[in-house]
Amino acid sequence: MAELITEVDKNDNFLGLREREEFYSGKHIHRAAQLILLNPENKMLIQKRAPQKRWFPGRYTYSVSGTVANESYEACMAREMLEEIGISVPFQKLFKIPCIVENKGAFHMVFSGLCSEKNASLIRPDPEEAVSVEWVELEELHRDIKTEPEKYTPSLREGIIKIFHEGCEKYIF
């Protein structure tokens, strides 16, 4: 059975469900959920996307990143967290960022969560999703995004820039 993804218009209004493959044509807008996962040292977990990924292979992105199927952003995040890193932590909605060019792309709902040391030791990235994960200091990530933006997915770049532009305290636990 084909996976169905939520299609929206340029204002994020629900249009219907389409098969995942149709979104690879670049003619449709979808929804995605992203997680800024922080540890007690205020470092963020990022993943390096697997080379077989269709969108942005080999680039760094959020610790958890998923397309919204016939579900809410929150349900997508809860499902993807378990599938991609093998743990579940409480999370909260931060903001939505549009990454849309010429009526293709996605609306990305960004969430944040706090990972305990115990949960951090349980993280097991899905090899179909990521070749590696690492904890990085937020300011170091922000600097690197400015100097080497091509290493990162557009949604991660936009999310980190938004956090630093508006002030970290608002988003960080």
Side-chain angles (χ1 to χ4, degrees), residues 10 15 21 35-36 46 54 61 63 81 84 87 94 96 105 107 112-113 119 125 141 143 149 159:
K10 65 183 180 176
L15 294 177
E21 290 296 316
L35 180 65
I36 293 175
I46 59 172
R54 293 285 283 275
T61 192
S63 58
M81 193 183 320
E84 290 192 16
I87 65 168
L94 294 182
K96 187 188 310 182
F107 284 94
S112 68
N119 275 338
L141 179 60
R143 281 192 303 273

Side-chain angles (χ1 to χ4, degrees), residues 35-39 41-46 62 94 112 135-146 152 156 159-161 163-164 167-169 171-173:
L35 180 65
I36 293 175
L37 185 62
L38 301 170
N39 69 12
E41 298 170 351
N42 213 28
K43 290 182 179 180
M44 181 178 163
L45 185 67
I46 59 172
Y62 299 90
L94 294 182
S112 68
W135 295 98
V136 294
E137 300 228 0
L138 283 171
E139 291 194 12
E140 177 185 330
L141 179 60
H142 185 234
R143 281 192 303 273
D144 201 43
I145 282 173
K146 287 181 183 176
Y152 302 94
L156 178 64
I160 296 301
I161 289 167
I163 285 172
F164 279 85
C168 291
E169 314 78 44
Y171 300 110
I172 307 308
F173 286 95

Side-chain angles (χ1 to χ4, degrees), residues 118-131:
K118 179 184 175 190
N119 275 338
S121 68
L122 300 174
I123 292 173
R124 301 289 179 263
D126 179 349
E128 289 184 23
E129 297 290 333
V131 293

